[in-house]
Amino acid sequence: VRGYLMFGFRWDQGGPWDSTGILGVQRFMERVWELVTGDQPAADGHQPSETQLRDLRRKQHQAIRRVTHDIEDFTFNTMVAGLMEYTNALIAARAAVPPLVEDPAWREAIQTLVLLMAPGFPHVAEELWEQIGQPYSVHQQAWPTWDEALAKEDVVEIAIQINGKVRDKIEVPTEIEADEAKAQALAAEGVQRYLAGKTPVKVIYVPGRLVNIVVASK
């Protein structure tokens, strides 16, 4: 009920009670419980790749950052949404081949999930903390911190506009140089179709967000 009240409405606005609305939060709690306490994939003798571990740590640190900010901002509905996204990411990671579950990074990621749940779901978090063999109490532990370098995406999707209208999107490395971002944008299939041989008057790159191509009107 506590989770549903936080997730269903903004705390300062409220909303109509729906007796079926709690089911979504119930399913979420069931997924968390199974993730933390359920059977884990058997080790197959292979070590997870650096890419797998990097992706796992990225999701972990992004979740810490998001949940922390949401609690500070009193946006508890998006806090719960962030916990749901993190849980789904961990469920997907658990199914990875080779399995991650024997790596210390996996145990740290699970501990982080339980710690992040503690403010919103205090009783279940306490039980899960004990289930994973941690000392009493989850509410006496230090709040997890994030590393911006670990939370940072390796690639980002940017929009490509022509005269202010989005015509295509591409994924580029987060550290891409402006000239390379412009070149990739101009080469994009959707952009080529709309340009139809026209020469751009100006190409502007807004780092991590978009490339705006200005074409002279006829």
Side-chain angles (χ1 to χ4, degrees), residues 125-156:
E126 187 73 91
E127 178 65 23
L128 289 175
W129 192 247
E130 180 178 343
Q131 290 275 344
I132 60 177
Q134 298 302 308
Y136 182 85
S137 154
V138 68
H139 304 294
Q140 295 176 353
Q141 308 306 311
W143 186 251
T145 58
W146 73 91
D147 184 324
E148 284 291 351
L150 293 177
K152 191 174 185 179
E153 293 284 357
D154 292 332
V155 297
V156 63

Side-chain angles (χ1 to χ4, degrees), residues 7-76:
F7 182 55
F9 327 100
R10 283 186 56 89
W11 73 274
D12 56 343
Q13 296 176 2
W17 175 265
D18 179 357
S19 59
T20 63
I22 198 171
L23 296 177
V25 176
Q26 177 188 335
R27 288 191 290 269
F28 161 61
M29 297 301 298
E30 291 170 350
R31 291 197 302 274
V32 170
W33 188 270
E34 195 280 330
L35 174 68
V36 177
T37 68
D39 294 335
Q40 302 298 328
D44 65 357
H46 295 88
Q47 296 298 317
S49 68
E50 284 301 316
T51 299
Q52 284 179 275
L53 294 174
R54 172 76 178 99
D55 289 344
L56 178 63
R57 293 192 181 98
R58 181 187 300 113
K59 294 297 184 183
Q60 176 189 351
H61 285 258
Q62 288 176 344
I64 296 171
R65 180 178 61 190
R66 176 174 178 177
V67 171
T68 301
H69 287 164
D70 286 343
I71 291 174
E72 292 173 346
D73 294 340
F74 277 48
T75 52
F76 304 122

Side-chain angles (χ1 to χ4, degrees), residues 54-124:
R54 172 76 178 99
D55 289 344
L56 178 63
R57 293 192 181 98
R58 181 187 300 113
K59 294 297 184 183
Q60 176 189 351
H61 285 258
Q62 288 176 344
I64 296 171
R65 180 178 61 190
R66 176 174 178 177
V67 171
T68 301
H69 287 164
D70 286 343
I71 291 174
E72 292 173 346
D73 294 340
F74 277 48
T75 52
F76 304 122
N77 55 336
T78 56
M79 177 199 77
V80 177
L83 290 171
M84 291 177 172
E85 289 182 12
Y86 183 43
T87 299
N88 291 338
L90 290 180
I91 290 172
R94 182 178 60 177
V97 179
L100 286 159
V101 295
E102 294 297 319
D103 194 276
W106 174 260
R107 293 189 288 276
E108 181 183 325
I110 290 294
Q111 289 177 18
T112 295
L113 172 62
V114 179
L115 288 168
L116 294 179
M117 290 188 64
F121 304 87
H123 304 92
V124 171

